[in-house]
Amino acid sequence: MRILNWGVDSAAAVTEDLYQCVIDNFGRPDFWGRYLSTIPAVSEGLTPEEYRFIQNQGMKLMPIYNNFREAVGARAGSVAARNSIFKARQLGIPEGTFIFANVERFFDVDADWIIAWVEAFYRSPYRPGIYADPDEGPFNEAYCQATAMSNLVREQAVIWSAEPEPGTTTKRNAPRQFTPSRPDCEANVWAWQYGRDADECPIDTVLMENRLYRELA
């Protein structure tokens, strides 16, 4: 039987007010996805104090890295990976944790970038994740090209799928079946953002397999 864990992600910092909003309207998350960098009008970067707050509530952290404009070329992939690893170390995120690159639909993305991202993580104490849309945009083709070119991508990368979107739910009413969209090739799709932009609180709702949850910080 597949064990699933339920959580949320947010571009906004996890304050007491936001946490209580989620508790009151959705239930207690097992984990919280947060961005590692501040990007004006896009995301508030995680702080050590916020990370401690997340841990003190008994939740795990799902780290997300989005401080890049496109995902094209090996050099850019390597730089993004090194920067995300540096940020994770700076925040005290434990070794072995997956860090998810946000290459969702609005990014250009190619196989060289994906391979470089994964290879840089393979040489680090952290592990490579990719948040992406397998249905729309260039990710599906780029990822399958990357897996054909590199066994490391196929073996090491874990995908957090942004599709389909049946809509946000409470923890109790989350989908019983784990049915994220997948690339048209072999892929480790272990997480699914099934609901986006909740009305009650500025969060998205996420399901992940327990094998990923166990590897979070």
Side-chain angles (χ1 to χ4, degrees), residues 67-104:
N67 195 12
F68 52 95
R69 293 187 179 276
E70 60 180 8
V72 175
R75 183 179 182 280
S78 179
V79 168
R82 291 200 304 270
N83 288 344
S84 67
I85 291 162
F86 174 82
K87 195 73 176 174
R89 284 185 168 130
Q90 198 176 42
L91 289 163
I93 294 172
E95 295 181 358
T97 303
F98 280 93
I99 300 173
F100 287 85
N102 182 347
V103 298
E104 206 206 354

Side-chain angles (χ1 to χ4, degrees), residues 35-39 43-46 64-67 87:
Y35 289 90
L36 300 183
S37 300
T38 295
I39 299 178
S43 60
E44 296 181 59
L46 181 73
I64 311 163
Y65 188 73
N66 66 334
N67 195 12
K87 195 73 176 174

